[in-house]
Amino acid sequence: MKTEKKYHGVVVPMVTPVTSEGKIDVAAVERIIENFANNSVSPLIMGTTGEGNSVSACQGVEMISAAKRAAKGRVTIYVGLPGNCVSEQLETAKKFIEAGADVIAATLPCYYKLQPEQMYNYYKTMADALTVPLMLYNIDITTHMSIPMDIIERLSHHPNIVGLKDSENNVPRIEEALKLFADREDFSYFCGCAANSAKALSLGGDGIVPSVGNYVPQLYQALYEAGRDGDTAKAEELQQLTIEIGKINTAGLTLGESLCGLKVIMSMAGLCDYYMLPPLTTLSDDIVERIKRDAKAVVEKYC
């Protein structure tokens, strides 16, 4: 059985529930956080699944505050920090920390293609300035850049950088990372590509970050526990189950469309509505009905 580090477990990239007017649905935030806490999983607020680049700083503060109140200290509040203006990011991070963020997870500014040393300097600047721990957040599908492993290794020794959330779908990269970090007590590795969760845990990963955990957190908590305890057969069985469930809101859809599909299923579970923040929009009626039809048995069984 793997010894758990300070930062470990299931961290769900939480959707951002909004009303038809585009305001934060505070009651829905509270319902979602309560469901997470009851299943021992933590939220990552304003990550990719949470439409992070579409959430204003004021909305972010409101959502973090609501999540912190609902959590009542039962889970860790991870908060994403997207954006391209570093000075604005630092000011926003202060507000998020005051609102209750326990850990900041920052993606690379992505308007310009950055050189490795620029990536290093960016994260060092953030880590030096923040008053809570920083988690590196690698997601090449949206930033169109991949943080090199040697840069991550250098940054991992900064006293205020506590881990890596890596959403790159790259098994050799997972293997390389965990050769470096599996036995490091001061640095945690979180697999952000949900389909590789069991693989990462079998190699000594510390946590998983699955978007479908928004409505079936208990399945991913069971997967995590099986992987942590060395029950690879059970972990793989749950991996395949969750992959099939995840296809309901992703098949044939773009990443942005799939996020609305995720909210459609959550609406069936009574967690939130499926309004989106601009520039994303709701799905056509026929796609919504297809998702509801395909998700019906899953919602009835697990939600």
Side-chain angles (χ1 to χ4, degrees):
M1 179 175 176
K2 179 178 171 63
T3 301
E4 292 179 327
K5 301 175 188 177
K6 180 176 181 179
Y7 298 101
H8 67 273
V10 182
V11 178
V12 176
M14 178 178 160
V15 302
T16 295
V18 294
T19 67
S20 58
E21 294 80 25
K23 297 179 180 179
I24 297 298
D25 187 340
V26 172
V29 172
E30 293 172 348
R31 288 194 296 272
I32 294 168
I33 292 294
E34 186 65 26
N35 192 34
F36 287 174
N38 287 340
N39 288 283
S40 302
V41 310
S42 293
L44 167 60
I45 297 171
M46 288 177 291
T48 302
T49 303
E51 304 168 74
N53 278 290
S54 301
V55 181
S56 71
C58 290
Q59 289 175 315
V61 166
E62 183 179 13
M63 188 158 64
I64 295 163
S65 298
K68 192 73 171 183
R69 290 194 303 270
K72 299 175 184 175
R74 293 173 290 173
V75 296
T76 301
I77 305 296
Y78 296 82
V79 175
L81 187 68
N84 288 312
C85 177
V86 175
S87 61
E88 287 186 358
Q89 280 188 306
L90 291 171
E91 288 301 312
T92 299
K94 290 179 183 178
K95 296 174 183 177
F96 288 175
I97 292 166
E98 290 172 0
D102 297 314
V103 177
I104 295 292
T107 56
L108 288 169
C110 57
Y111 188 82
Y112 302 105
K113 181 175 176 60
L114 301 180
Q115 295 300 314
E117 199 64 24
Q118 292 172 319
M119 298 179 189
Y120 175 85
N121 289 334
Y122 167 72
Y123 279 118
K124 184 179 184 303
T125 297
M126 298 296 296
D128 287 345
L130 296 179
T131 56
V132 299
L134 172 67
M135 182 164 287
L136 312 177
Y137 185 170
N138 184 63
I139 179 163
D140 62 330
I141 193 172
T142 57
T143 66
H144 309 292
M145 292 178 281
S146 178
I147 309 171
M149 200 55 62
D150 63 323
I151 296 297
I152 293 171
E153 199 283 329
R154 284 172 62 194
L155 288 165
S156 74
H157 298 284
H158 190 291
N160 201 37
I161 296 178
V162 296
L164 166 68
K165 174 193 182 286
D166 201 330
S167 297
E168 193 165 329
N169 186 5
N170 184 332
V171 172
R173 180 179 169 91
I174 294 172
E175 294 170 344
E176 181 183 3
L178 287 168
K179 285 179 182 177
L180 291 170
F181 305 127
D183 296 325
R184 283 272 304 276
E185 291 301 315
D186 60 337
F187 192 82
S188 297
Y189 176 90
F190 285 79
C191 180
C193 180
N196 293 327
S197 297
K199 176 68 174 179
L201 292 169
S202 73
L203 295 172
D206 301 292
I208 55 177
V209 191
S211 62
V212 176
N214 272 282
Y215 65 94
V216 285
Q218 71 276 29
L219 292 182
Y220 284 100
Q221 180 62 18
L223 193 164
Y224 166 74
E225 291 175 359
R228 177 200 62 194
D229 297 344
D231 189 343
T232 55
K234 183 177 180 181
E236 187 57 37
E237 177 185 347
L238 288 163
Q239 179 74 89
Q240 294 308 312
L241 172 61
T242 54
I243 286 174
E244 289 304 310
I245 291 174
K247 291 177 182 177
I248 298 172
N249 72 286
T250 59
L253 301 178
T254 66
L255 174 58
E257 290 171 329
S258 75
L259 302 183
C260 184
L262 182 58
K263 287 186 181 180
V264 168
I265 303 172
M266 293 178 71
S267 74
M268 297 171 66
L271 292 167
C272 68
D273 216 319
Y274 49 95
Y275 300 112
M276 305 297 290
L277 289 168
L280 297 182
T281 59
T282 54
L283 298 168
S284 62
D285 290 344
D286 60 326
I287 295 177
V288 169
E289 289 309 310
R290 190 273 296 169
I291 291 172
K292 287 183 175 180
R293 181 180 64 250
D294 292 350
K296 185 174 184 293
V298 172
V299 171
E300 289 177 349
K301 183 172 182 178
Y302 296 111
C303 299

